[in-house]
Amino acid sequence: ERSSTEGSVTPPSALRAAASPGGEELPSRKSEAYRYADLDALKSVWDTLPAAETITLAEGETQQQVWIADGSPVAVRTVQVELAAGASLEIFALNTAPQYGRVELDVTLHEGANFALHAANIGGGKATQEIVTVVRHLEPNGTSRQTVRSVLGGTATGSYLGKVAVARGAQQTDGEQSVKAMLLDRGATANCKPELEIYADDVKCAHGASVGELDPNQLFYALSRGLDPVSAKALLLEGFVLELWDEVADEAQRDALVEASRAALRSVVA
């Protein structure tokens, strides 16, 4: 298992511009943002990857988006976000691609903008799943929250590489990264690398990363209540993941996230 806050992350948009589908070379592990990627899986879809999506919110606009993996063996999503003054965007992302799942976000916040990412990697077998983000606070009074949870079994690898960059004039920025991973088997690997790059002196920024295992006492208690091992583990893991979706406003979308998460968790612990 790995947990680190060192190194630097090249913005995903810059990587895609330098190594874009349709003729350019694949990125390599020399690029920090692709250090833990499944490059063979990426190669299999590289020529058909669409250009990066764009999300642009106007001044004061508010939006929530829910992203649920569609079941494809390899799923790569690259998104560039621009938030005007006072705009607010929340993204809820469930990454469960069985072979390789990658979510890249490049976010720019202007004055008083708010960005929140609630995301989960859930994978077993030989899956590789990663979330790579660059969040840029360019102007004062912006807030960003990134909460990422990973549940990994078998020999799966789950990664979060996230950089929060605060420009010199972006005073009173409030940025936070919370990254936790749960390893179910000795062969599973978690890479947690939150990073801060701060050039302003009046900010509140924090990050934390932890990697752990299921509490054996809690598991014993669940088993003693008559649950079978798969159901007991899945129930404990639901408490670790499902709180990510509490703030989804649309009830149908929230229910879809919960059900997809439960199915993925049961698959991993089975």
Side-chain angles (χ1 to χ4, degrees):
E1 73 192 43
R2 306 180 182 92
S3 177
S4 173
T5 59
E6 298 177 356
S8 60
V9 180
T10 303
S13 58
L15 287 166
R16 185 55 54 87
S20 58
E24 297 295 335
E25 290 186 1
L26 281 164
S28 73
R29 299 194 192 285
K30 293 180 181 178
S31 299
E32 181 67 18
Y34 287 89
R35 180 177 177 183
Y36 306 111
D38 183 340
L39 296 181
D40 289 336
L42 184 60
K43 182 178 180 180
S44 72
V45 299
W46 185 251
D47 290 337
T48 59
L49 284 180
E53 303 171 43
T54 59
I55 299 173
T56 303
L57 297 192
E59 184 173 346
E61 187 176 357
T62 299
Q63 188 177 118
Q64 285 190 343
Q65 292 202 8
V66 171
W67 302 349
I68 302 176
D70 63 5
S72 300
V74 179
V76 178
R77 187 165 192 169
T78 303
V79 181
Q80 297 182 23
V81 176
E82 185 90 14
L83 302 179
S88 180
L89 174 67
E90 284 188 287
I91 293 175
F92 302 84
L94 178 60
N95 187 16
T96 57
Q99 182 180 355
Y100 178 54
R102 180 181 180 88
V103 175
E104 299 181 0
L105 278 163
D106 191 338
V107 183
T108 299
L109 291 86
H110 294 277
E111 183 167 6
N114 174 71
F115 171 72
L117 171 67
H118 313 263
N121 293 317
I122 304 176
K126 299 180 180 179
T128 297
Q129 296 171 354
E130 50 193 1
I131 296 169
V132 181
T133 67
V134 177
V135 176
R136 298 186 184 84
H137 290 267
L138 298 186
E139 297 176 351
N141 301 308
T143 63
S144 61
R145 296 286 184 271
Q146 297 181 72
T147 306
V148 179
R149 301 290 181 259
S150 296
V151 176
L152 306 164
T155 58
T157 299
S159 302
Y160 168 79
L161 288 80
K163 179 176 182 178
V164 175
V166 182
R168 200 171 303 278
Q171 304 295 348
Q172 297 188 340
T173 287
D174 185 349
E176 186 175 295
Q177 298 161 284
S178 171
V179 188
K180 297 181 181 179
M182 194 77 73
L183 303 183
L184 306 181
D185 297 293
R186 291 186 179 276
T189 301
N191 304 296
C192 304
K193 299 190 69 176
E195 180 188 357
L196 300 174
E197 182 180 272
I198 301 172
Y199 291 100
D201 55 13
D202 181 12
V203 302
K204 183 171 69 173
C205 292
H207 62 210
S210 64
V211 179
E213 302 175 349
L214 281 174
D215 186 324
N217 293 325
Q218 291 183 352
L219 183 58
F220 176 80
Y221 178 77
L223 293 170
S224 72
R225 305 297 291 181
L227 294 175
D228 62 85
V230 170
S231 296
K233 291 179 181 179
L235 181 63
L236 294 178
L237 292 168
E238 284 182 16
F240 182 65
V241 172
L242 296 188
E243 65 180 5
L244 289 168
W245 320 133
D246 287 349
E247 296 178 20
V248 178
D250 184 278
E251 184 176 355
Q253 289 186 319
R254 185 171 62 253
D255 289 346
L257 272 170
V258 168
E259 290 308 309
S261 300
R262 283 176 171 159
L265 290 172
R266 290 191 67 87
S267 177
V268 169
V269 300

